[in-house]
Amino acid sequence: MVDELRGNPASPGAAAGPVVRLTPPPVLPEHWDAPAAPEAELAAATEALDAAVADLEKRAASVSGESKSIMDTQIMMAQDPSLRTGIADGVANGRPAAWAIRDAFGRHVAALEAIGGYLGERAADLIDIRDRAIAAALGLAQPGIPAVDGAFVLVGQDIAPADTVLLDPAKVLGIVTEKGGPTSHTAIVARALGIPAVVGCAGAAGLADGTRIAVDGTRGTVAVDPDDEYVRRIEAESASLKEKLAAHSGPGATADGHPVKLLLNVGSAGGAESDAAADAEGVGLFRTEFLFLDRTEAPTVEEQRAAYGEVLRGFGGRPVVIRTLDAGADKYIPFANTEDEPNPALGVRGYRVGVRNPGLLTAQLEAISLAAGDHDADVRVMAPMIATPAEAAAFRDLAREHGITKTGVMIEVPAAAIRARDILAEVDFVSIGTNDLSQYTYAADRMLGELGELLDPWQPALLALVATVAAAAKEAGKSAGICGEAASDPGLAPVFAGLGITSLSMSVSAVPAVRAALKDYTLEQCEILAGEVLRAPDVPSARKVVEEFSARSVD
Ligand code: PEP
Ligand code: MG
């Protein structure tokens, strides 16, 4: 029996080799002696930060594409003048260089972590510069990949962008990290380099240098001390899956050609080029928050117009659904939200912000309309967190006033799902945000990892609400898509098709597996499967229905 650790599958493929651990970042003791010469200390701190930034710039100059844009963002964050002011304040208050650096970065890191989501994961980038600057200030070896001979599997807490960009796929057979989610830079870069990776792997801390491990980045497992037969098996499985995924391309459809559109979730202008080059039918969810987060006032109409335009340009005639600002709760935006709400997830968030602060919403709709005109793009808009048909109608009217004719809303609140028929009477389409719909259906904070079981997209009450929405859309002759994380689950794809969902929107990397899963069944089989899954009383039985159905279809 091989000992297996579990994490998140982050980059597909399988590989085995000895563990090489990253050099850990420096740890500072809590007590320090106030420096005798604060001026010299400030100069040392500044020099250490400058050295860390210069090193990053050197590394960034040797890479391109997505890796470069990750590092450029990191360099930009390191050049924030308020960091330098914070360091100077720390030294003035009696801290030596290394401690002043630690504390100044600490405040910025905490702010990003509080925002969560994509920006929360960028906190790791800031922590990396902090650690490099501290190591430089203390004259210690830089944290990161040690120089070793031969090929290995890299294991660490998280891998910093500065290290990931220099990964040599000929030497690094696989990557395992304790932290990080599917959108962390480790996952992004590992996928770009084709290195199998498992992130957020809880037991990785216990893996010692030299231990032989096998990484299965497709399933998200790490086997400790596997025998050769185990390694051969996961390599063969991974190769056959790769072959299967590569065999399909083009629009999403079931085996008998029933279309289910494969769309992308995009969240910044940064990856616009690679997103646009992907084999997908358009954008199902363009999250616009990236333009608003981490700043003190709203971007101007012109700034928004340019940023949206950057994404629209690449997609040519393909449809792009732009979601208006979803401020609040896990996406707290200081100038849009109030700080003193006792329950921000149940407070003024999403569309509700636009009602109370109409200037924000109208400026955004104006910018979207202008950007659509600039690029002759097929743009639709949708509002987040709609709860009633009246809200849907008001949003539609406002969008039309700005010349945007195709309007939709997100179904993220159980009230909206239950009354989907009335909501669909007001708008052209709906898109189900299963991340929030799970949170509100199961009264489980989506940010709380320990409630993950309730937030599982296979939960029967969530699937029942999806079924209600899909049936209402079918009756109205309109489209109902899914743009939450559930859309990237290949096991659920045929179930959603069978329920009548018309599009699935996900990150680029999830598309091939979902496309292949749809191709496994005819529409009739999807419908039978969906009916059986809806009758399952809990998550394990729902999953079992699909596994058994798939085994039956193969026989
Ligand atoms: C969702 O809630 O499922 C969704 C897609 O929106 P977000 O994750 O941005 O809240
Ligand atoms: Mg949401």
Side-chain angles (χ1 to χ4, degrees), residues 115-495:
I115 294 167
Y118 178 82
L119 277 182
E121 288 187 355
R122 298 285 79 74
D125 305 352
L126 212 47
I127 289 171
D128 171 51
I129 315 163
R130 177 199 68 189
D131 291 341
R132 285 167 193 278
I134 292 176
L138 297 175
L140 297 174
Q142 285 289 306
I145 307 173
V148 288
D149 291 332
F152 54 86
V153 179
L154 193 60
V155 178
Q157 276 239 324
D158 199 1
I159 301 175
D163 287 325
T164 43
V165 295
L166 294 182
L167 288 174
D168 175 1
K171 284 192 83 172
V172 182
L173 303 168
I175 295 174
V176 180
T177 64
E178 284 154 48
K179 294 192 171 167
T183 58
S184 63
H185 50 72
T186 301
I188 295 167
V189 177
R191 281 195 293 268
L193 293 175
I195 301 175
V198 174
V199 300
C201 181
L207 295 171
D209 267 318
T211 311
R212 186 171 133 88
I213 59 173
V215 183
D216 186 337
T218 314
R219 286 192 306 135
T221 56
V222 177
V224 186
D225 217 1
D227 52 39
D228 290 345
E229 194 196 321
Y230 176 95
V231 175
R232 268 197 300 276
R233 181 171 59 76
I234 63 164
E235 282 177 349
E237 279 172 8
S238 152
S240 87
L241 183 67
K242 217 167 161 181
E243 228 171 81
K244 184 179 166 197
L245 300 193
H248 301 297
S249 60
T254 57
D256 55 337
H258 170 74
V260 179
K261 284 196 170 64
L262 297 172
L263 306 173
L264 299 183
N265 287 358
V266 304
S268 72
E273 257 173 58
S274 50
D275 285 339
D279 181 7
E281 294 162 71
V283 172
L285 169 63
F286 179 5
R287 289 184 169 100
T288 54
E289 293 77 41
F290 77 97
L291 253 182
F292 294 77
L293 290 163
D294 207 21
R295 50 193 298 164
T296 50
E297 53 190 57
T300 61
V301 169
E302 280 308 312
E303 197 181 331
Q304 293 187 53
R305 174 182 185 175
Y308 304 147
E310 229 175 287
V311 171
L312 296 180
R313 194 174 51 230
F315 279 89
R318 288 175 286 175
V320 175
V321 179
I322 304 184
R323 177 179 74 184
T324 55
L325 182 64
D326 184 21
D330 56 307
K331 309 179 199 89
Y332 175 74
I333 294 175
F335 55 86
N337 301 116
T338 47
E339 237 176 283
D340 51 4
E341 284 187 326
N343 282 308
L346 303 180
V348 179
R349 66 161 291 199
Y351 174 71
R352 300 168 190 181
V353 171
V355 172
R356 284 154 187 85
N357 192 342
L360 266 181
L361 185 53
T362 51
Q364 193 175 23
L365 289 170
E366 189 187 340
I368 292 170
S369 175
L370 288 167
D374 292 344
H375 299 278
D376 198 16
D378 180 358
V379 167
R380 296 114 202 254
V381 286
M382 71 177 174
M385 287 290 294
I386 289 292
T388 67
E391 287 178 350
F395 176 73
R396 173 207 59 210
D397 291 345
L398 198 60
R400 284 191 185 158
E401 275 170 34
H402 287 84
I404 307 167
T405 50
K406 292 175 193 155
T407 53
V409 298
M410 289 189 73
I411 304 281
E412 310 189 88
V413 177
I418 292 165
R419 304 296 291 193
R421 182 200 288 201
D422 300 334
I423 292 207
L424 275 153
E426 305 294 351
V427 289
D428 303 310
F429 66 94
V430 294
S431 183
I432 309 175
T434 45
N435 309 336
D436 274 310
L437 190 56
S438 291
Q439 145 161 287
Y440 295 122
T441 303
Y442 281 89
D445 187 337
R446 63 189 270 186
M447 305 304 284
L448 275 186
E450 69 172 291
L451 297 179
E453 239 175 87
L454 291 172
L455 297 163
D456 192 316
W458 289 75
Q459 281 285 3
L462 178 78
L463 295 177
L465 288 177
V466 171
T468 303
V469 177
K474 214 178 199 175
E475 193 186 305
K478 295 182 177 175
S479 53
I482 296 181
C483 63
E485 285 305 305
S488 39
D489 186 330
L492 282 173
V495 177

